[in-house]
Amino acid sequence: MKTFAYISSFFFLLQMQAQVKNEQERRIKKKDVPTEVMSWFKDAYEKQRKVKWFYQTDGEKKVYEAKLTYQNKKHSVEISPNGILVNIEVLIDFDEIETMTKKSITTYFETEYDKYKIKKVQIQYVGSIDDLEDLIDEDELDDDIKINYEIEFYGKNKTKDELWEALFDAVGNLLQIREIKLKATDNLDY
């Protein structure tokens, strides 16, 4: 039984390491956003005017993404083409993460990488469309809302020196990690 557990763990870790983030995002006009997507967004972010809309795909997942500043925080809202809310991400500082969670995440980085540098941290809210609307327009955090942390970081170890995106749960357990592949145009220096 122990052998099976070790083999299962090995394949799980192998699968996590093999994932690559190869996202493509293009700017779109507000008029090109489906009404199913806009209806929830207008209810939650009632009087928000400066919103940048994008259509995003990674080969499997296709979403509309609204990027905006709301209550002095940068928000990213992903909504599926049929109007289902995928998540809300809010840009935060690493120091804003609860102490024990931050310690768990830091332990992961220090264990897996010789060197690492955090580039971006977002708190991610996942839940029902109604609960997430209440979070935005009433600042009400329901117990049914799941909290994750999405962290982009540069990580260097014996085999890799790459840009990564890691997803951690509310207590700092690693849920997913993907290597970020930048397009050639993203790497040009002027």
Side-chain angles (χ1 to χ4, degrees), residues 90-135:
V90 180
L91 190 65
I92 62 170
D93 290 327
F94 187 67
D95 290 336
E96 292 179 61
I97 297 174
E98 193 270 329
T99 304
M100 294 305 293
T101 303
K102 187 169 53 175
K103 184 176 179 181
S104 180
I105 293 170
T106 302
T107 300
Y108 168 79
F109 288 143
E110 290 173 350
T111 303
E112 295 297 319
Y113 300 95
D114 299 327
K115 290 183 180 180
Y116 71 93
K117 182 176 181 185
I118 295 173
K119 182 180 172 194
K120 180 169 93 172
V121 178
Q122 292 178 305
I123 187 168
Q124 181 186 81
Y125 300 101
V126 180
S128 78
I129 200 163
D130 293 332
D131 289 341
L132 290 172
E133 184 178 338
D134 290 345
L135 173 69

Side-chain angles (χ1 to χ4, degrees), residues 16-70:
M16 281 180 39
Q17 293 295 343
Q19 294 183 8
V20 175
K21 180 179 180 178
N22 199 2
E23 220 168 56
Q24 294 180 9
E25 186 176 84
R26 67 179 162 85
R27 180 89 188 260
I28 60 172
K29 295 182 183 203
K30 182 179 176 181
K31 68 179 179 67
D32 297 327
V33 177
T35 54
E36 296 85 6
V37 172
M38 285 302 294
S39 62
W40 179 87
F41 187 82
K42 284 181 179 178
D43 283 346
Y45 293 93
E46 286 181 22
K47 296 176 183 162
Q48 199 62 36
R49 294 184 188 201
K50 293 183 180 182
V51 179
K52 293 180 183 176
W53 285 97
F54 297 86
Y55 181 74
Q56 184 183 90
T57 181
D58 66 2
E60 295 175 19
K61 180 176 86 169
K62 294 172 175 45
V63 295
Y64 289 90
E65 183 176 24
K67 294 183 181 183
L68 65 147
T69 300
Y70 183 75

Side-chain angles (χ1 to χ4, degrees), residues 142-190:
D142 189 275
D143 289 339
D144 293 331
I145 294 176
K146 183 178 175 185
I147 293 176
N148 296 319
Y149 297 97
E150 185 178 275
I151 301 176
E152 283 186 15
F153 68 97
Y154 292 98
K156 181 178 181 177
N157 58 25
K158 293 177 176 110
T159 58
K160 294 254 185 180
D161 183 6
E162 303 293 341
L163 178 61
W164 301 93
E165 178 187 84
L167 185 66
F168 297 90
D169 67 13
V171 295
N173 296 315
L174 180 68
L175 300 174
Q176 179 183 35
I177 186 160
R178 303 187 297 177
E179 181 181 339
I180 298 175
K181 289 290 186 189
L182 299 175
K183 294 181 288 187
T185 56
D186 291 342
N187 294 325
L188 293 177
D189 293 327
Y190 293 95

